[in-house]
Amino acid sequence: MMRILSLGLAFVGAALAVGASAPALAQQPTPPPITAGPPNVKRTILQRFDVAGTNLETIVAVVEIGASVKAGRHSHPGEVVGYVMDGEFVLALDGQGEQTFKAGASLRVPSGAVHDEGTRDKPARLIATYVIEKGKPLASPVK
């Protein structure tokens, strides 16, 4: 009888252990979405949330740009603030000269400003925060 009771308790203990780990398995984070962009440019969205009381949303992303990439002239429907984590990032706002931002530098692109951006001979990685109008594309090419 004692042996049956011990086996029963062992079974209940194992079932509780499996049941306790099931919620932990179910709560594993899903990988962040990656947005499409120019070739050799990858944006991994870390956070996306509405700005309360406005028609704006905030998108925080890691932007990885391959070596010798130019994104092409484009604009954003809101403000963009960037921080260069690795490499060198090149920004050319229309009407202004080209600027190079090295690792540790931050930059700002005003809402609607037409610009080109990219890298020279080495890749770059940035954290970018976009505060843009809801429902608009993250970037729009300019001809």
Side-chain angles (χ1 to χ4, degrees):
M1 178 71 163
M2 197 62 152
R3 186 174 181 174
I4 293 173
L5 184 58
S6 294
L7 286 173
L9 289 175
F11 178 78
V12 169
L16 288 174
V18 168
S21 66
L25 293 174
Q27 296 175 3
Q28 294 297 316
T30 56
I34 297 173
T35 64
N40 295 320
V41 176
K42 180 173 99 173
R43 287 185 187 94
T44 304
I45 297 174
L46 303 175
Q47 291 189 34
R48 182 179 210 136
F49 54 91
D50 292 345
V51 177
T54 71
N55 189 36
L56 301 172
E57 67 177 328
T58 301
I59 299 170
V60 180
V62 173
V63 181
E64 297 173 83
I65 307 168
S68 303
V69 170
K70 288 290 184 190
R73 292 178 65 241
H74 64 282
S75 66
H76 303 280
E79 301 286 324
V80 180
V81 176
Y83 173 79
V84 181
M85 295 189 305
D86 298 308
E88 292 184 1
F89 178 73
V90 179
L91 175 66
L93 294 166
D94 276 13
Q96 298 181 20
E98 190 174 87
Q99 297 178 358
T100 301
F101 298 89
K102 296 181 180 194
S106 64
L107 58 112
R108 177 178 170 263
V109 178
S111 180
V114 176
H115 61 286
D116 196 358
E117 60 192 31
T119 58
R120 291 200 175 97
D121 60 342
K122 295 179 182 172
R125 196 163 56 110
L126 297 86
I127 293 282
T129 302
Y130 305 84
V131 182
I132 62 172
E133 294 177 51
K134 284 188 225 175
K136 299 269 179 126
L138 191 58
S140 298
V142 175
K143 297 176 184 181

